[in-house]
Every structure is written in C-alpha cells, then in structure tokens.
C-alpha cells in the first residue's frame, strides 16, 4: 500500500492509473470499505484520503472530539488491499485554497449546517486538484453531498468519473457512521428506528402511488407531518424530514420519478442522517 503524506510526494504521481479517489475523514468502518469495492468493480484502484476537514465543521460542532484512529485505519486499509492512502497535512491543504460555494445552499443539511458544504466542496476540489484521479467514490448516505460533488465535477469540467456507493447498514438497519461511536450499543439499537421510519414512509408512498393509479401528486405533506409526530414521540429531535425530488431537491412534480426521503435527527445529542430513494418508475 502506497502511503503519501505530502504534496511533494504526490507530485511524483505515486499512484498507478486508473485510480479512484475515496475521500474520507477516517475512523473507517464497513461503509467506507465498501467504497473501495465499488472502485474495484469499475476497474479503478482505490486511493483513500484521510483528512478531518476543519472547514466543514460549524463553530459548535464536534471537530475536536471527532474520532481520529489513523493507525487502525491504515491497518484496515492494508487488510483490504487498498492501493494507496493520502494523508495530507492540514497546512499544506489549506494553503492558497480556492474557497468554493456549494449549490443547494437552502436545502436539507445545508440549512441546518450553514457553510458545511462550502467546506466540503472546497476541500474535495483541492483533493481532486492535487491527486488528479480518474474517478471518485462517494456514499449515498450523504445524498446531498453526492449531488454537490457531481455539480463540482460538471462546473469545473473535470474528467473524473463519479461513482456512487449504496448506504451500508448494521444488522438492525442503522446506517454506519463514525458518529455512531458516540452511542452505546443499546442506544444504537434504538437509533436504528430511524431506518424503520424511513422504510415505513417508503411503503406509504408506494401504497398511495398505487392507490392513485400510479400518478403523482401523492399527498406527501400529510405523510411527512404524520411521521414528524411519530418520530418526535419516540424520543428523537427532528432536524429535518423531507420528501423531495431526488434530482432537484425541490418539491416533487408530476414528472418526478425518484423520490428522496431524507432525515436528520438528534438522538442523545448525536446528529444522525439517513435517506431512502423510492423509484416510482419501477411501479409503472
Ligand atoms: P466520512 O468519513 O464520514 O466523511 O465519509 C466518507 C465517505 O464515506 C463519504 O462518501 C460517505 O458518504 C461515505 N460513507 C460513510 N458512511 C457510509 C455508509 N454507512 N454507507 C455508505 N457510504 C458511507
């Protein structure tokens, strides 16, 4: 496994092409490892970057306590035959960085975490510039982030193939996340109800769609309002629950085919996000 820690080392093109960059903040779990598999399925060598990006954390967020487990991460990557790892120095990455503004600034996570995606896109852009990958892999768990990175690739006209990886969950359905480490195993079981709620909403949408003879609009607002109540009553504090067109993140229209159900909740003060996409075309 090739481990690169400086821009100088990077300038010698240490990674073998074609490779896919897999940006992470470390504290790796099965969700991250699956991104490596997606890269390989498409015949790209996986190169993982590990960088806890200070620009994507708000002033009252968990930057300081975010889990940093570099030695263990390297062991996991080695075991999973990762081709390369890039562990940039913060000062090198931030030096002369071009600040970028992310689209969808008034949607979902961007609303409750102002500046978060500007921080993400600024660093991912820099990682693209310095590593020069042929592809990149991002997880569906961060749905809005995926749209934003696809937009970055388009506007900058990068020749980087975008690969999307499905959400990896634990046996109870809880989406794997480094932030799950803040919860006890009992709390994680409780937190997996978030996925149960999403699945129930998905079923309701499918049922309404069938009842309405496979046409939109379904009364998505009623479904949503109903579930906001149910979820809050179960001890979760909802940041947002939205049912939107998955391409535009706007309210669903008659021609919407893929509906995004996206949620962010606080459970025991830990912010958890998850989503499901309902593909209506599969019913028509
Ligand atoms: P992070 O280290 O949390 O910044 O995540 C790095 C990458 O891993 C992002 O593309 C995430 O979307 C992806 N990722 C994290 N958790 C999961 C998961 N449970 N399933 C799929 N992808 C994930």
């Amino acid at each position: 496994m090739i481990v690169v820690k400086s821009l100088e080392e990077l300038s010698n093109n240490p990674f073998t092409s074609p490779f896919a960059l897999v940006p992470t903040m470390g504290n790796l779990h099965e969700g991250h490892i699956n991104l490596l598999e997606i890269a390989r399925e498409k015949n790209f060598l996986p190169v993982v970057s590990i960088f806890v990006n200070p620009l994507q954390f708000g002033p009252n967020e968990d930057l300081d306590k975010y889990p940093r487990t570099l030695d263990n991460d390297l062991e996991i990557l080695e075991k999973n035959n990762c081709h390369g790892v890039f562990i940039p120095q913060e000062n090198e990455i931030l030096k002369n960085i071009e600040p970028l503004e992310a689209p969808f600034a008034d949607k979902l996570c961007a609303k409750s975490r102002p500046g978060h995606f500007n921080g993400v896109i600024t660093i991912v852009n820099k990682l693209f510039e310095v590593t020069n990958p042929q592809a990149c892999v991002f997880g569906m768990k961060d749905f809005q982030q995926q749209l934003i990175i696809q937009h970055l690739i388009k506007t900058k006209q990068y020749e980087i193939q975008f690969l999307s990886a499905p959400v990896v969950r634990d046996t109870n359905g809880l989406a794997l996340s480094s932030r799950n480490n803040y919860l006890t195993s009992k709390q994680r079981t409780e937190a997996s109800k978030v996925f149960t709620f999403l699945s129930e909403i998905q079923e309701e949408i499918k049922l309404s769609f069938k009842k309405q003879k496979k046409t939109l609009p379904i009364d998505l607002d009623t479904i949503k309002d109903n579930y906001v109540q149910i979820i809050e009553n179960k001890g979760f504090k909802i940041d947002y629950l939205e049912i939107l067109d998955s391409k535009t993140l706007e309210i669903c229209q008659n021609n919407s085919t893929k509906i995004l159900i996206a949620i962010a909740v606080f459970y025991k003060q830990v912010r958890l996000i998850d989503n499901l996409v309902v593909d209506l075309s599969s019913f028509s």
Side-chain angles (χ1 to χ4, degrees):
M1 188 168 75
I2 302 160
V3 180
V4 171
K5 293 187 174 171
S6 71
L7 295 188
E8 197 191 339
E9 287 170 78
L10 253 194
S11 61
N12 299 327
N13 295 324
F15 305 124
T16 304
S17 296
F19 71 87
L21 182 69
V22 183
T24 78
M25 298 209 297
N27 194 240
L28 303 177
H29 49 64
E30 288 298 320
H32 296 114
I33 298 310
N34 191 44
L35 304 175
L36 272 64
E37 296 308 322
I38 300 291
R40 282 194 274 254
E41 267 172 26
K42 299 286 176 191
N43 297 317
F44 293 101
L45 291 168
V47 171
V48 170
S49 65
I50 300 178
F51 182 61
V52 181
N53 170 11
L55 304 186
Q56 72 179 66
F57 288 80
N60 298 316
E61 293 185 350
D62 55 345
L63 173 62
D64 290 341
K65 72 166 185 172
Y66 196 84
R68 290 160 171 88
T69 51
L70 187 57
D71 290 346
N72 195 40
D73 291 346
L74 290 174
E75 222 171 273
I76 291 175
L77 291 174
E78 182 96 60
K79 232 187 253 162
N80 284 279
N81 300 317
C82 188
H83 172 62
V85 191
F86 177 43
I87 313 164
Q89 303 300 316
E90 192 171 303
N91 57 346
E92 276 201 317
I93 281 292
L94 298 183
K95 198 173 164 193
N96 299 329
I97 199 160
E98 176 194 5
L100 295 180
E101 268 187 37
F104 303 111
D106 59 343
K107 307 283 178 205
L108 304 175
C109 288
K111 251 199 311 201
S112 38
R113 302 184 74 189
H116 168 71
F117 288 117
N118 294 347
V120 170
I121 199 176
T122 297
I123 292 297
V124 170
N125 183 52
K126 180 82 178 228
L127 291 173
F128 282 168
E129 280 177 352
V130 296
T131 59
N132 217 354
Q134 287 70 51
C136 61
V137 194
F138 287 84
M140 281 263 260
K141 169 162 178 285
D142 298 271
F143 193 90
Q144 187 172 9
Q145 174 170 279
Q146 286 206 330
L147 293 184
I148 288 167
I149 302 302
Q150 283 170 320
H151 183 266
L152 169 72
I153 292 173
K154 212 168 164 188
T155 52
K156 291 271 189 187
Q157 298 183 317
Y158 287 138
E159 286 186 12
I160 301 176
Q161 192 173 331
F162 184 91
L163 306 176
S164 172
V167 184
V168 177
R169 304 174 179 286
D170 72 10
T171 46
N172 295 317
L174 178 65
L176 298 188
S177 162
S178 305
R179 289 195 170 92
N180 295 351
N181 284 334
Y182 301 146
L183 299 171
T184 64
S185 91
K186 203 168 155 214
Q187 288 168 341
R188 284 201 287 270
T189 307
E190 195 58 24
S192 67
K193 282 190 181 141
V194 171
F195 179 61
T196 312
F197 300 135
L198 288 179
S199 308
E200 287 174 12
I201 296 171
Q202 181 182 45
E203 281 313 303
E204 287 215 13
I205 293 174
K206 284 183 190 170
L207 264 179
S208 311
F209 186 65
K210 281 181 191 158
K211 251 192 229 156
Q212 283 193 201
K213 302 204 170 43
K214 297 175 182 170
T215 58
L216 284 172
I218 306 161
D219 188 358
L220 296 171
D221 281 343
T222 306
I223 297 178
K224 184 177 101 175
D225 293 345
N226 186 18
Y227 266 90
V228 166
Q229 283 302 320
I230 294 174
I231 296 169
E232 295 245 324
N233 287 342
K234 291 274 183 307
F236 296 89
K237 191 178 167 311
I238 291 192
D239 180 2
Y240 63 74
L241 172 64
E242 301 278 5
I243 306 176
L244 301 170
D245 183 297
S246 71
K247 271 200 202 124
T248 61
L249 301 187
E250 300 285 349
I251 291 169
C252 295
Q253 303 293 323
N254 283 350
N255 61 357
S256 299
T257 50
K258 288 189 179 169
I259 298 184
L260 170 72
I261 315 163
I263 191 167
V265 293
F266 287 94
Y267 178 66
K268 305 287 172 198
Q269 291 173 337
V270 180
R271 190 169 183 278
L272 304 170
I273 61 168
D274 201 351
N275 68 79
L276 274 182
V277 176
V278 195
D279 187 354
L280 294 181
S281 65
S282 58
F283 307 111
S284 35

